Amino acid sequence: MKVLVVLVMAVIFYAALAEKKCNTGTDSTALTSDTCTKDTCTFPMFVEYTGMSKQAYSCGACAEGTKDKSCKECTAEDGQDACNVAVEEEGSHTFECFDHKYNETAKKWVAEKTAGHATLR
């Protein structure tokens, strides 16, 4: 009987540890690790020349037609930390942009001497 009680306790303990977790939130600055009943977690992705997608961090699969376009998926593992960690903007790029002014004398647009910078994230 004692063996049965220990076995039942071990199963309950394992079940408590074996929860799948996904981070949830609208952006990487306010993520919460939540228990998930699905096998998949979703997260945003960096889209070149557009910036970070609007996909939320969530539990479940990407909406139809968005996977690898604006949404990424990962597999939630039992007893592991959430796989959909905060996305680093490694694909961001800084561009040099020159303002232009119209030169009335030369009758053409002329670039300023100093470039400004624009970073897409």
Side-chain angles (χ1 to χ4, degrees):
M1 185 67 168
K2 289 181 183 180
V3 173
L4 184 59
V5 170
V6 170
L7 185 58
V8 170
M9 294 298 287
V11 169
I12 292 171
F13 181 72
Y14 176 76
L17 290 178
E19 294 178 330
K20 294 177 180 160
K21 294 190 181 287
C22 289
N23 285 320
T24 57
T26 55
D27 63 51
S28 62
T29 60
L31 294 179
T32 304
S33 182
D34 291 324
T35 301
C36 182
T37 58
K38 312 271 184 181
D39 292 331
T40 308
C41 301
T42 57
F43 55 101
M45 60 184 283
F46 183 81
V47 180
E48 287 189 24
Y49 305 107
T50 303
M52 194 61 69
S53 69
K54 302 294 183 206
Q55 172 66 40
Y57 292 82
S58 63
C59 176
C62 293
E64 189 172 329
T66 63
K67 185 176 179 184
D68 296 327
K69 293 180 180 156
S70 62
C71 176
K72 288 283 194 182
E73 292 180 354
C74 60
T75 303
E77 301 287 339
D78 287 336
Q80 299 293 317
D81 289 338
C83 62
N84 59 341
V85 296
V87 175
E88 296 295 323
E89 297 178 21
E90 62 190 52
S92 65
H93 185 77
T94 300
F95 295 91
E96 287 190 352
C97 307
F98 290 90
D99 286 332
H100 288 72
K101 286 188 177 178
Y102 189 75
N103 184 318
E104 289 290 337
T105 307
K107 301 288 186 209
K108 65 180 182 176
W109 288 93
V110 179
E112 294 287 326
K113 294 183 192 261
T114 306
H117 294 86
T119 301
L120 291 179
R121 297 180 191 251

